[in-house]
Amino acid sequence: MDGFLSLFEQYDVAGAFWVNIQLTFFAAIWSLLLGTLLALFRISPIASLQWFGASYVNIFRNTPLTIILAFGVLALFGQLVVSLADDFDLNFFRLAVLGLSLYHAAFVCEAIRSGVNTVPLGQAEAARAIGLSFLPAARLVILPQAFRGAIAPLGNVLIALTKNSTVAAAGSVAESAGLMKTMIEFRSDMVIPIFFTFAMGFVIIVIPIGLLTTWASKKLAVAR
Amino acid sequence: MSAQQVLFDAPGPKAKRNILIGNIAGALLIVGLLAWLTITLAERGQLEPAKWTPFLEGRTWEFFLLPGLLNTLRAAGVAIVTSVVLGLLLGIGRLSHFLPLRWLAGVVVEFLRAVPVLLMMIFLWLAIGAAGIMRPQDIPFVAVVTALTLYNGSVIAELVRSGVEGLPKGQREAGMAIGMTRNQSLRSIEVPQALTAMLPALISQFVVILKDSALGYIITYTELLQNARRLGVGEGNLLQALLIAAVIFIIINFALSSLANRLSKLLSFRTTGTTKKENVSNVVVADPTNA
């Protein structure tokens, strides 16, 4: 037990989780912005933008995240010398945020689109029947329902993003998966306690997010 | 309803003209973006033939890409079979009428779904290595398959459960009415229909398994991404090698996704359940049906 506790003095476990939380936080913001823009493209009546949105989603949703993050370090940084910061570590961190955002934006886009799809056609017809034009109908009737319908799928994306932030290990970011590897390599007598420490860390982060978004999606659900 | 129908009315002459203008502006923007990408790549010497010709040579495919792809498909194929088996076992456990079993299956599913696959993979890789019970060259494969099985088995368990719970109550009641026990009706009436209903979601999950097999790259499994990297380091064309690997993944996954979409339309009359592609709640403990 003493040996187990001394691990925490030797290695900065909380710091590694903090990196994952930061990755998640920044990637969540960027992917939400990009994903919303893509969703707008896909639901717009403009064919070229629809095509762009659909192609983006199909390409990024079907590419392994590991390739995208490895691409950031090996191709963007290694071959094209793209630099997002002067500091070496910060550069890798930002490349990882970029990769995570590009990948999850595709899922955010689909989550928002599925939210719009939960709105029955009759709602739009009723809005037009009482004389609302496009913008008031969208603002007052359709989008409020669509956002509520999108909460649960967006929560799923956020949970996936939190767990996927560990893949940043493939992008040379020092985060919890990498630290767990180092710790196990140096203390192979404590493989199982070390794994469960990190696993429970994720359980503690992920389950409240799930509970919160499930609660919110039910609380705000549109009764139909 | 489709988003288009909800948001937009059938366009009149003025709206049609606006859409046309928007269309042209959008197309110009996309062409501009693609042109900018191409010019940037060309300026940095990434479009030179020397960087791309290796992919026209037989040895590139024979020694790097095809063996890598084969290993990817092998890991994904085995993991698909084992995770369906684990998923059925856990899913039926979650539907059991024996409370401790249902509770245990719920906790296991919740835990496996919350832990990142990569953590499990690294743990298994190092733990099996430390235990010294296996030939070192087999360990990455076993770790990849086991980690994928544990995670995706728990997701499939939720698919089985939500598939059974998505069936109309009358199905079970009919089974009971002709004298079946609850387990018999579960086995011969509900689960088979649930399997049909969940097939599209199941195939989407196979895409996840195939994509996540690329995590094996981090634990030195020689799958497609790993081999593409080796090739790129050797030829000095990492960017191109990774792009080709990504394209191979995209083609296979796109085919699987299209199959899932087509099946969800085809199968909807074969079951009384709903054949949606994604119908899993995000947390098991918050699911009221798990009381």
Side-chain angles (χ1 to χ4, degrees):
Chain A
M1 195 62 201
D2 283 346
F4 179 65
L5 288 178
S6 75
L7 279 177
F8 288 90
E9 289 163 17
Q10 214 176 333
Y11 298 100
D12 189 8
V13 177
F17 270 104
W18 180 237
V19 174
N20 282 91
I21 293 172
Q22 282 178 306
L23 282 169
T24 308
F25 178 77
F26 290 113
I29 291 176
W30 286 111
S31 59
L32 190 64
L33 290 176
L34 182 58
T36 311
L37 183 70
L38 287 168
L40 288 178
F41 282 5
R42 289 203 74 174
I43 60 181
S44 77
I46 297 169
S48 56
L49 295 182
Q50 280 172 25
W51 176 86
F52 178 80
S55 311
Y56 183 96
V57 167
N58 278 326
I59 288 172
F60 279 89
R61 204 173 45 174
N62 288 319
T63 314
L65 177 62
T66 325
I67 289 198
I68 297 177
L69 291 178
F71 190 87
V73 170
L74 299 176
L76 287 187
F77 175 71
Q79 201 164 335
L80 294 177
V81 206
V82 172
S83 182
L84 299 178
D86 292 332
D87 182 53
F88 209 59
D89 288 334
L90 188 61
N91 184 31
F92 285 147
F93 178 85
R94 287 190 179 161
L95 281 172
V97 168
L98 176 70
L100 286 168
S101 310
L102 289 175
Y103 179 76
H104 289 91
F107 294 90
V108 168
C109 167
E110 291 307 273
I112 292 176
R113 219 163 59 98
S114 77
V116 178
N117 283 343
T118 58
V119 183
L121 183 56
Q123 296 287 325
E125 288 169 348
R128 281 169 204 143
I130 58 170
L132 295 178
S133 60
F134 175 67
L135 280 178
R139 191 169 60 84
L140 297 170
V141 180
I142 294 159
L143 292 183
Q145 299 187 48
F147 284 133
R148 291 165 177 222
I151 292 175
L154 281 175
N156 277 333
V157 177
L158 184 60
I159 289 175
L161 172 59
T162 312
K163 296 193 293 172
N164 283 339
S165 67
T166 54
V167 186
S172 305
V173 177
E175 47 66 70
S176 56
L179 182 66
M180 187 186 86
K181 180 167 171 276
T182 316
M183 284 171 74
I184 293 179
E185 276 167 351
F186 281 96
R187 295 302 302 268
S188 55
D189 54 323
M190 284 202 243
V191 175
I192 291 170
I194 293 173
F195 169 67
F196 274 96
T197 306
F198 281 93
M200 287 319 288
F202 275 95
V203 170
I204 290 168
I205 299 172
V206 162
I207 291 191
I209 300 178
L211 288 173
L212 202 69
T213 52
T214 309
W215 173 80
S217 72
K218 291 212 171 104
K219 173 97 181 161
L220 298 171
V222 182
R224 295 197 181 97
Chain B
M1 264 313 123
S2 114
Q4 289 277 314
Q5 277 173 302
V6 178
L7 280 171
F8 300 102
D9 229 336
K14 196 175 155 200
K16 269 188 183 151
R17 201 185 59 222
N18 287 341
I19 288 174
L20 182 70
I21 294 170
N23 216 344
I24 293 168
L28 286 176
L29 220 64
I30 294 164
V31 171
L33 187 71
L34 292 178
W36 174 76
L37 262 179
T38 318
I39 291 169
T40 314
L41 284 179
E43 272 177 357
R44 310 228 176 162
Q46 299 302 326
L47 298 183
E48 279 165 21
K51 299 249 182 214
W52 294 92
T53 43
F55 299 103
L56 300 174
E57 289 167 21
R59 57 173 289 276
T60 301
W61 292 87
E62 193 185 339
F63 295 112
F64 290 98
L65 297 178
L66 289 181
L69 179 61
L70 202 67
N71 274 346
T72 292
L73 293 178
R74 210 158 55 100
V78 175
I80 283 173
V81 175
T82 49
S83 42
V84 168
V85 172
L86 181 68
L88 279 175
L89 289 177
L90 282 174
I92 291 175
R94 298 256 296 122
L95 291 163
S96 162
H97 293 287
F98 183 53
L99 185 71
L101 179 62
R102 193 168 72 218
W103 188 80
L104 181 74
V107 170
V108 170
V109 166
E110 192 76 84
F111 178 77
L112 292 178
R113 282 181 61 191
V115 178
V117 189
L118 182 61
L119 278 192
M120 292 197 250
M121 222 178 254
I122 292 177
F123 161 67
L124 289 164
W125 175 48
L126 296 174
I128 297 173
I133 46 173
M134 212 173 272
R135 292 188 305 164
Q137 64 268 35
D138 292 339
I139 295 173
F141 174 78
V142 173
V144 169
V145 168
T146 315
L148 288 177
T149 304
L150 290 175
Y151 173 68
N152 293 289
S154 68
V155 176
I156 292 172
E158 281 305 279
L159 288 179
V160 172
R161 191 189 55 82
S162 70
V164 167
E165 273 158 10
L167 297 175
K169 237 175 25 185
Q171 295 293 319
R172 177 189 295 167
E173 287 168 353
M176 310 284 241
I178 58 170
M180 286 181 167
T181 66
R182 293 197 67 170
N183 278 333
Q184 278 176 327
S185 107
L186 195 64
R187 261 203 325 266
S188 47
I189 296 181
E190 293 167 63
V191 170
Q193 288 196 70
L195 285 179
T196 313
M198 69 186 250
L199 202 57
L202 194 60
I203 292 175
S204 312
Q205 201 58 37
F206 295 166
V207 173
V208 174
I209 295 181
L210 193 67
K211 281 197 299 181
D212 281 356
S213 72
L215 288 171
Y217 161 76
I218 298 169
I219 63 162
T220 71
Y221 180 54
T222 52
E223 45 72 69
L224 185 54
L225 172 56
Q226 184 74 260
N227 277 9
R229 190 187 63 90
R230 287 178 184 176
L231 174 74
V233 169
E235 302 270 357
N237 61 351
L238 268 167
L239 183 126
Q240 290 76 5
L242 291 185
L243 274 183
I244 298 277
V247 168
I248 296 173
F249 269 109
I250 291 168
I251 291 172
I252 300 173
N253 287 332
F254 187 70
L256 274 177
S257 305
S258 312
L259 180 69
N261 276 333
R262 288 186 63 178
L263 276 179
S264 71
K265 282 173 198 136
L266 269 177
L267 289 174
S268 53
F269 64 90
R270 292 269 304 270
T271 167
T272 52
T274 45
T275 53
K276 274 189 299 184
K277 251 178 80 184
E278 278 143 35
N279 52 1
V280 176
S281 70
N282 46 9
V283 165
V284 184
V285 286
D287 193 342
T289 52
N290 189 31

